Amino acid sequence: MSATAEPAIRVRGVTKSFKALPVLRGVDFDVAAGTVFALLGSNGAGKTTLVRILSTLLKADGGSASVHGHDVADSPEAVRESISLTGQFAAVDEVLSGRENLVLVARLRHLEQPGAIADELLARFSLTDAAHRRAGTYSGGMRRRLDIAMSLIGDPPVIVLDEPTTGLDPQTRIEVWQTVTQLAAQGTTVLLTTQYLDEAEHLADRIAILHEGTIIQNGTLAELKQLLPPATVEYVEKQPTLEEVFLALVGADARTTRKEPQ
Ligand SMILES: Nc1ncnc2c1ncn2[C@@H]1O[C@H](COP(=O)(O)OP(=O)(O)O)[C@@H](O)[C@H]1O
Ligand SMILES: [Mg+2]
């Protein structure tokens, strides 16, 4: 993309506290259009708070943010038309079939030919054979694919996936990863939050680390890896993994807390 192109998402100095708890202390980053950007942070780092601000579900205390050129505070309607948020807890209605879920969302968005939209998405997400089955009978991967398909109705240029694979088994995780890769290949801008380093490493063009309310690093995987010198073991260079970079930056205590036996 050219240097002058407007970023798909721009975040500047965003702050947010819940009562006395400061969660975001001045967050800054840009997401270039058509890229996959991973916001990496431990549980409780403020990832969901930030994506809720970007989706206009929550107001920031300070700073500014824009999506597709629209300011979240001044033009929330235009922002909502440009961004789609799919969270850890799927919006799928289990009683309805996959196709009915899609048709319902298309109707809610006042689109013409909701049936045709549903059929196209079912095909794109390999759900045609299961189209008429109740979504409650779908596997975890199928439900997540349906959830992502629902969020694409109306062709939002920016899609936010909030911890799309948390709680999923490894096979389903790989299915979701493939879906994200396909979205990116079609030019959708993807903002992905994750607490999994390998997920960011695998999917993202750029990775930003959210820690204690600010972005403490933001770069490509190669740039982040350069923050640690390669270890030399008997003349063989070993590049640091993203996990090693992350732990060196945020401190080993950021690792999942495992209680020591008393
Ligand atoms: N509505 C709320 N009221 C009070 N505290 C909240 C609320 N939402 C989130 N928090 C707190 O803000 C912090 C960040 O939460 P969250 O954004 O959900 O983190 P993450 O998504 O990175 O796990 C946590 O300490 C959480 O308990
Ligand atoms: Mg969260």
Side-chain angles (χ1 to χ4, degrees), residues 16-19 21-24 39-52 58 88 162-163 193-195 210:
K16 180 72 189 176
S17 298
F18 293 108
K19 299 216 171 80
L21 176 72
V23 174
L24 304 177
L39 187 64
L40 182 63
S42 312
N43 209 7
K47 303 180 297 296
T48 298
T49 301
L50 186 64
V51 299
R52 291 185 70 213
L58 191 68
Q88 191 178 336
D162 191 16
E163 298 205 28
T193 80
T194 186
Q195 44 180 310
L210 177 64

Side-chain angles (χ1 to χ4, degrees), residues 162-185:
D162 191 16
E163 298 205 28
T165 65
T166 294
L168 297 186
D169 61 79
Q171 175 57 37
T172 308
R173 238 176 132 217
I174 289 169
E175 286 178 34
V176 173
W177 283 8
Q178 288 167 346
T179 304
V180 175
T181 306
Q182 283 168 17
L183 280 180

Side-chain angles (χ1 to χ4, degrees), residues 95-132:
V95 178
L96 301 180
S97 71
R99 190 172 188 278
E100 287 166 340
N101 268 287
L102 291 162
V103 167
L104 181 68
V105 175
R107 287 222 172 101
L108 288 172
R109 302 208 177 145
H110 306 291
L111 299 175
E112 285 170 24
Q113 301 191 306
I117 291 171
D119 290 334
E120 188 268 320
L121 284 166
L122 288 162
R124 187 163 145 200
F125 287 89
S126 310
L127 290 169
T128 302
D129 290 347
H132 299 288

